[in-house]
Amino acid sequence: MTHKVDKSKCFYCGGCVSLCPFTALTLVETNVVCDESKCTKCGICVKGCPARAIRVE
Amino acid sequence: MAEHYDAIVIGCGPGGSFFAKTAAKKGMNVVVLEKKKDLGSPVRCGEGIATQWDASYGLPLNEKSIAMKIDAAMAIAPNGTTFKMGGEGAVVERKIFDKFLAIDAARAGAHILPKTLVTDLVRENGKIVGVKAKRFGEEIEFRAPLVVSAEGMENTIARKAGMKVQHTLYDTDVCYEYEMANVPCEPIIELFFGNRISPRGYVWIFPKAKDVANVGIGVGGETGADPKALLDAFIRERPERFKHAEIIEVKGGDISVGASSEQLVQDNFMVIGTAAHMVDPIHGGGMGLAITAGKIAAEVAAEAHERKDYSRDALVRYEKEWHAGEGATMLKRLKLRKTMEGLSDDDLNFIFENVDGKDAGKLMDGDFKPIVARLLIKRPSLLKVVKSLM
Ligand SMILES: Cc1cc2nc3c(=O)[nH]c(=O)nc-3n(C[C@H](O)[C@H](O)[C@H](O)COP(=O)(O)OP(=O)(O)OC[C@H]3O[C@@H](n4cnc5c(N)ncnc54)[C@H](O)[C@@H]3O)c2cc1C
Ligand code: SF4
Ligand code: SF4
């Protein structure tokens, strides 16, 4: 796993989904689902997450 | 097996519901697919909306949706200097507002399907003919000659359709918000500006009762600033206002603050509302613009439906009307936003000391020159920042 969401911080706003240039993310109710085969680890979602909930490594 | 409709709307926010209501009233068989189980929730909104236009739109801004009526907005400079702008508005309860808009669409004959996640488009010979969706463990295909993206910020399907609607950090504000009880409020929307308060954004206090308010912050996406840390600091630094405050809800999200997308239609496809970046670049308001877009787009769609022609040519009047109207206003405000980005807190204090609500109204309308000229006489050093407004 390279894309991790800290669920104690995430408030399911979908901001990361809208910013990901590779449409790697989907918000399904309270879960951010990452298609790891599309994620390039660019870090844009990390910067755009209001809750600072995402880590990409 | 596929279900057949005249139009499929993706997303049951204000834009999607208003499109569906308008199109259904014109006789179209419309379905709205919404992935969430609860409309309007989780709230990603300050919940402020102007209301001068609601009657002409037949908008059901009923008493239950309204938390508090507003009669003015106040902007506050870093040093506390203020000016007030008049204007009717309301702070709504999004969870109720969005639900009523959907009920209204359903009453007009539209079908609303919550808990239905659209996963992809269906194409035949390259042509968009519907969408694939997941609903209660089933994969369902919906077919229609017209698909409308009202997806909000998460505009994945519009991007899959080939529309250029990708959001960028530069044109996005990253927002954190608390709904708080025990915060004394007047029926006024308050906006606090300053680079220290919020880099390239502002803090808002939108009252929902005389002692309840949405207290939120937006920061420029590319600044890397942490909106929660800044909002907490703002509250901590104002003990007189917040000493008894209690957080009763945590909300937030990302919002577009750039220009609306250039291309809004293609063959068999339209994009409306925040999915097409239709959000005011100055204050981040997008409910009203989504509704306006939904109305124009549905009227054009109904004409296309009558002629059974859903080509780009048949739908393009929506795109043209948008860019001649609200789209053009947004461009002026974007210019203003970009200028404001270059101002120091000292410049902001100076400007607030030398403008009033009327001047601010003119600036918002794009009538920059007389006010900028007056400011420059007093402070010529502003020229490098404000010259794009001349
Ligand atoms: C923090 C913050 C504060 C704001 N404050 C204000 C304010 O005070 N006033 C104001 O006017 N605006 C404000 N806005 C903006 C406002 O919330 C939006 O502009 C508005 O909701 C846009 O309406 P819409 O119908 O275009 O999209 P939305 O209301 O976002 O609705 C889109 C819907 O589409 C659904 N969806 C997305 N993808 C799919 C899919 N694949 N399948 C099924 N469903 C899907 C989503 O779940 C969502 O329900 C704020 C935004 C933020 C983030
Ligand atoms: S790191 Fe980049 S590619 Fe990966 S999910 Fe985040 S934004 Fe998308
Ligand atoms: S941007 Fe952050 S808070 Fe919002 S859904 Fe993504 S991970 Fe959660």
Side-chain angles (χ1 to χ4, degrees):
Chain A
M1 275 278 274
T2 56
H3 181 277
K4 284 191 192 133
V5 175
D6 181 343
K7 288 213 71 178
S8 74
K9 292 182 176 175
C10 173
F11 49 28
Y12 348 122
C13 71
C16 51
V17 179
S18 44
L19 285 166
C20 173
F22 305 99
T23 57
L25 301 174
T26 313
L27 175 68
V28 186
E29 295 286 2
T30 63
N31 294 306
V32 177
V33 182
C34 180
D35 179 344
E36 300 273 344
S37 71
K38 286 188 180 173
C39 174
T40 65
K41 304 191 203 176
C42 70
I44 288 174
C45 60
V46 176
K47 226 173 162 182
C49 170
R52 293 291 180 269
I54 308 176
R55 267 198 2 229
V56 177
E57 47 201 30
Chain B
M1 216 188 64
E3 295 189 19
H4 291 264
Y5 296 91
D6 296 330
I8 297 162
V9 180
I10 312 168
C12 198
S17 279
F18 213 73
F19 178 98
K21 173 185 168 178
T22 313
K25 272 193 163 170
K26 299 219 173 230
M28 288 177 80
N29 185 19
V30 188
V31 68
V32 188
L33 310 178
E34 167 57 56
K35 63 182 174 161
K36 294 185 298 195
K37 77 178 183 69
D38 295 317
L39 303 177
S41 176
V43 177
R44 335 172 191 193
C45 195
E47 308 185 296
I49 188 164
T51 50
Q52 319 88 326
W53 46 272
D54 60 349
S56 63
Y57 269 78
L59 184 73
L61 200 61
N62 60 29
E63 292 302 320
K64 282 182 188 155
S65 303
I66 297 175
M68 193 169 192
K69 288 203 170 123
I70 303 297
D71 48 36
M74 184 158 75
I76 300 120
N79 69 0
T81 310
T82 63
F83 65 78
K84 245 192 206 177
M85 288 172 75
E88 263 175 62
V91 178
V92 297
E93 194 69 62
R94 271 302 287 268
K95 290 169 198 165
I96 302 177
F97 179 76
D98 283 31
K99 190 149 77 179
F100 267 108
L101 282 172
I103 289 173
D104 226 43
R107 283 183 179 142
H111 305 279
I112 314 283
L113 295 187
K115 206 73 183 138
T116 307
L117 171 71
V118 177
T119 53
D120 211 341
L121 293 157
V122 181
R123 291 180 190 263
E124 263 170 17
N125 305 319
K127 194 174 132 164
I128 293 167
V129 295
V131 301
K132 281 184 203 147
K134 273 191 198 157
R135 177 172 165 80
F136 300 134
E138 264 186 280
E139 307 247 356
I140 315 177
E141 219 174 270
F142 293 86
R143 295 246 174 173
L146 180 65
V147 175
V148 180
S149 161
E151 295 169 280
M153 285 296 288
E154 301 161 63
N155 52 18
T156 310
I157 304 299
R159 282 189 267 160
K160 284 188 178 172
M163 307 297 284
K164 292 194 176 60
V165 293
Q166 171 70 52
H167 294 284
T168 61
L169 279 171
Y170 175 67
D171 277 329
T172 297
D173 270 7
V174 178
C175 311
Y176 212 94
E177 181 181 51
Y178 301 127
E179 185 163 335
M180 298 180 109
N182 306 334
V183 178
C185 294
E186 302 286 327
I188 290 175
I189 273 176
E190 295 167 74
L191 310 170
F192 297 77
F193 291 91
N195 293 295
R196 200 179 70 85
I197 290 174
S198 165
R200 211 211 68 191
Y202 65 88
V203 165
W204 65 83
I205 301 181
F206 286 5
K208 297 185 79 171
K210 63 182 193 317
D211 58 350
V212 179
N214 285 328
V215 183
I217 190 171
V219 302
E222 87 299 345
T223 65
D226 177 347
K228 180 176 186 298
L230 287 166
L231 180 61
D232 290 341
F234 178 90
I235 291 167
R236 209 168 41 240
E237 285 168 11
R238 285 165 182 76
E240 69 296 346
R241 183 90 180 261
F242 291 102
K243 63 178 175 247
H244 299 300
E246 293 291 335
I247 297 171
I248 52 170
E249 194 172 322
V250 178
K251 4 192 191 191
D254 289 349
I255 193 68
S256 173
V257 287
S260 43
S261 307
E262 233 165 84
Q263 192 193 343
L264 303 175
V265 299
Q266 57 165 295
D267 293 350
N268 310 96
F269 200 87
M270 301 174 109
V271 54
I272 63 172
T274 297
H277 303 212
M278 294 168 177
V279 183
D280 190 290
I282 293 287
H283 55 64
M287 285 188 272
L289 293 176
I291 288 167
T292 305
K295 182 177 160 78
I296 306 173
E299 283 165 358
V300 173
E303 281 174 19
H305 174 65
E306 241 166 61
R307 283 184 265 116
K308 297 282 170 271
D309 175 4
Y310 302 89
S311 65
R312 174 173 158 81
D313 284 349
L315 303 173
V316 79
R317 183 165 72 78
Y318 155 57
E319 185 179 295
K320 290 199 170 135
E321 267 188 37
W322 178 265
H323 289 302
E326 298 290 356
T329 307
M330 279 182 62
L331 284 179
K332 290 178 196 158
R333 298 206 175 159
L334 180 59
K335 225 175 178 183
L336 193 62
R337 186 208 103 195
K338 287 188 173 167
T339 303
M340 284 176 72
E341 278 170 37
L343 297 172
S344 67
D345 281 7
D346 190 51
D347 292 334
L348 277 172
N349 291 334
F350 166 79
I351 291 170
F352 275 58
E353 279 156 12
N354 287 280
V355 299
D356 56 21
K358 255 198 202 142
D359 294 335
K362 282 188 192 154
L363 289 171
M364 291 289 273
D365 290 340
D367 185 8
F368 307 125
K369 276 186 193 159
I371 295 151
V372 171
R374 205 179 69 214
L375 292 170
L376 280 175
I377 292 172
K378 287 197 183 169
R379 184 175 278 207
S381 64
L382 275 177
L383 182 63
K384 59 180 187 308
V385 191
V386 300
K387 64 171 179 285
S388 66
L389 299 183
M390 294 302 283

